[in-house]
Amino acid sequence: MSAGKYRKEHDCLNCGSHVESHYCSKCGQPNLELKESFWAFISHSIAHYFHFDNKFFQTLAPLLTKPGKVTLDYLAGKRARYINPVSMYIFVSIVYFLVVYSPKHVAKEKHEDDGITVEKQNSKHVTDSVSKALKLAGMPTDNEIVKKTVHSLDKAIKTKEFKKLSFKDQGVELNRMKAENVTLKSDSLEEVIDNYSDIYIERNDSTYAAYLARQQKLPSDQQDSWYEKLIKKRAITIGEKSEVIHETLEHNRPKQYFLLMPLLALFIMWNFRKNHIYYLNHLIFTIHGMTAYFIVQIFTAPIIKHVLGGSGFFTKTIELAVLVWICWYMFSALKVFYQRKTGSIIFKMFWIFVLYWIAFNVSEYIMVNLIYYVAT
């Protein structure tokens, strides 16, 4: 694709070879004049851009609507109309991870004393409103069902309030309730104390230092073993750094997908080994498939995340539609490219999904552990 005035001289400015026509037969460079006007420069650039743009859409349409066709054409030598598989994959994957990936920073809630007081008042209003509503409905307040309903609701709200207290305030509240129960000796209050104690201990072990401090206070026969402490340390550290680990994991998704792609091609080759096709051909088939998946996600993921908020009926509908499209696309591509019977394709497709799922989870486990050891 060239735009400009051709030189009268017949020597190639790039390699020095003799040029018979407008292009060098040795290196392919057009024999254009060096000096060009501003508009010639702009038109030349636009021509190159739309040449790429044209090839991109010529590849995009059959890639999405005719699974397996682009790969067959490419391997049959019909390559001039299509973008190189690797070039298109790199371009689409960059757009995919720019559009789809956006790290989330979870804001930690701060509960001040005034906020807790307001929450308690709101909670009391809720239980009072439920009692009044049941009374208006004609159900007597001394009815056992009404009592149990209001009691369960009140218990759930108070547990939620207790969880919102600071660690110090939780300890103070627990001591107050225990002192009160010494006098009352109430089974229901004892049950509440046990529930709150579990929450308090879990909160106490939110840091490894706090966990070790609690262990030292226990009798030696009740303390955890060195192995249990090691497991606990890892669990607590991952919990403390869960946001960092999640963000780092998402940041490394491109590497994960890229490294798993040759493995997916290997799984496909194992299942279709009787076709006697070179591994490179399986890899090109896989690259085209992953590129098609990224393109679909580029359009659907932003809608789910930014328009629908990541939840709800329409989100589930789109996710289900994408899953159905993946199954249809893979089945159609395998059938067109490998020319097997429907039953055989479905059976092999199932095992490809299973193997890829195992590989994906194993790689994710390795990545989480690597991030954990780097973070600690």
Side-chain angles (χ1 to χ4, degrees):
M1 177 65 65
S2 300
K5 187 178 179 182
Y6 290 101
R7 297 170 64 238
K8 294 179 181 179
E9 294 80 8
H10 295 282
D11 60 312
C12 177
L13 295 174
N14 182 55
C15 65
S17 302
H18 182 75
V19 180
E20 293 291 342
S21 184
H22 296 317
Y23 294 87
C24 176
S25 59
K26 193 168 185 179
C27 68
Q29 176 171 291
N31 192 26
L32 295 170
E33 292 282 357
L34 290 177
K35 293 180 181 179
E36 57 183 349
S37 66
F38 173 78
W39 292 111
F41 172 75
I42 294 298
S43 62
H44 193 188
S45 301
I46 291 173
H48 272 284
Y49 171 78
F50 281 107
H51 177 62
F52 169 81
D53 188 64
N54 187 45
K55 289 188 74 173
F56 178 80
F57 285 105
Q58 280 184 345
T59 308
L60 181 66
L63 185 66
L64 293 177
T65 60
K66 298 177 180 178
K69 183 180 184 305
V70 175
T71 309
L72 282 176
D73 285 351
Y74 185 84
L75 295 176
K78 300 174 183 178
R79 303 181 180 184
R81 73 187 77 169
Y82 300 125
I83 295 178
N84 179 275
V86 176
S87 300
M88 188 166 187
Y89 172 82
I90 292 170
F91 172 74
V92 171
S93 63
I94 290 170
V95 175
Y96 169 76
F97 289 106
L98 285 174
V99 171
V100 174
Y101 170 72
S102 57
K104 294 180 179 179
H105 295 279
V106 180
K108 295 183 179 179
E109 297 180 2
K110 294 182 179 179
H111 304 283
E112 302 296 337
D113 292 340
D114 292 342
I116 293 169
T117 303
V118 172
E119 183 72 24
K120 286 183 178 179
Q121 290 175 356
N122 291 338
S123 302
K124 190 176 186 301
H125 290 160
V126 171
T127 51
D128 289 345
S129 298
V130 171
S131 299
K132 287 177 183 178
L134 291 171
K135 189 176 181 181
L136 288 171
M139 298 188 73
T141 53
D142 58 346
N143 184 286
E144 278 299 315
I145 297 174
V146 174
K147 285 182 178 179
K148 285 183 179 179
T149 302
V150 175
H151 175 72
S152 298
L153 183 62
D154 186 56
K155 181 182 176 183
I157 290 171
K158 285 182 177 177
T159 302
K160 183 181 177 183
E161 289 172 3
F162 183 78
K163 287 180 178 179
K164 289 182 177 180
L165 293 173
S166 66
F167 180 69
K168 183 180 178 182
D169 290 340
Q170 283 183 352
V172 171
E173 182 66 14
L174 263 177
N175 291 332
R176 185 193 66 76
M177 293 174 70
K178 287 176 181 177
E180 185 180 339
N181 198 41
V182 170
T183 307
L184 296 176
K185 298 189 183 300
S186 168
D187 291 336
S188 59
L189 186 56
E190 185 68 34
E191 183 184 343
V192 173
I193 291 170
D194 290 341
N195 183 32
Y196 285 6
S197 295
D198 291 339
I199 296 169
Y200 181 71
I201 290 171
E202 186 179 343
R203 181 76 172 272
N204 187 23
D205 289 348
S206 60
T207 64
Y208 186 60
Y211 164 74
L212 289 178
R214 188 176 67 81
Q215 284 287 306
Q216 289 174 359
K217 294 176 183 178
L218 296 173
S220 57
D221 58 329
Q222 294 182 18
Q223 292 182 10
D224 292 342
S225 65
W226 66 270
Y227 180 73
E228 289 172 324
K229 288 179 180 177
L230 184 66
I231 297 298
K232 189 71 174 178
K233 180 183 179 182
R234 184 178 180 277
I236 291 171
T237 307
I238 288 177
E240 287 176 340
K241 300 182 181 295
S242 59
E243 186 181 345
V244 175
I245 289 172
H246 176 72
E247 286 190 10
T248 309
L249 188 64
E250 290 302 316
H251 185 72
N252 285 280
R253 287 289 182 206
K255 297 173 186 175
Q256 184 184 18
Y257 283 128
F258 184 77
L259 291 173
L260 284 176
M261 195 162 53
L263 201 58
L264 177 58
L266 185 64
F267 296 153
I268 294 172
M269 187 180 75
W270 285 346
N271 280 275
F272 292 95
R273 56 190 177 275
K274 290 184 180 178
N275 283 62
H276 304 293
I277 298 174
Y278 289 116
Y279 173 76
L280 180 61
N281 296 353
H282 296 289
L283 184 59
I284 293 170
F285 173 83
T286 306
I287 290 171
H288 279 141
M290 288 298 294
T291 304
Y293 168 73
F294 285 160
I295 292 168
V296 170
Q297 285 291 90
I298 285 169
F299 291 100
T300 57
I303 295 172
I304 291 172
K305 185 184 292 185
H306 302 298
V307 178
L308 302 176
S311 61
F313 172 76
F314 290 107
T315 295
K316 297 297 180 186
T317 303
I318 292 175
E319 289 175 345
L320 179 62
V322 171
L323 181 62
V324 170
W325 177 87
I326 290 171
C327 294
W328 166 81
Y329 188 92
M330 189 166 184
F331 171 79
S332 302
L334 291 172
K335 194 169 179 63
V336 168
F337 189 73
Y338 293 100
Q339 298 292 312
R340 294 294 190 89
K341 293 181 179 178
T342 301
S344 175
I345 292 291
I346 293 172
F347 177 76
K348 293 177 184 301
M349 191 171 79
F350 169 77
W351 281 111
I352 290 168
F353 276 133
V354 169
L355 290 168
Y356 187 77
W357 179 82
I358 293 170
F360 185 87
N361 282 276
V362 169
S363 65
E364 186 141 314
Y365 178 79
I366 293 169
M367 286 171 68
V368 168
N369 280 275
L370 286 172
I371 295 165
Y372 161 73
Y373 285 116
V374 170
T376 55

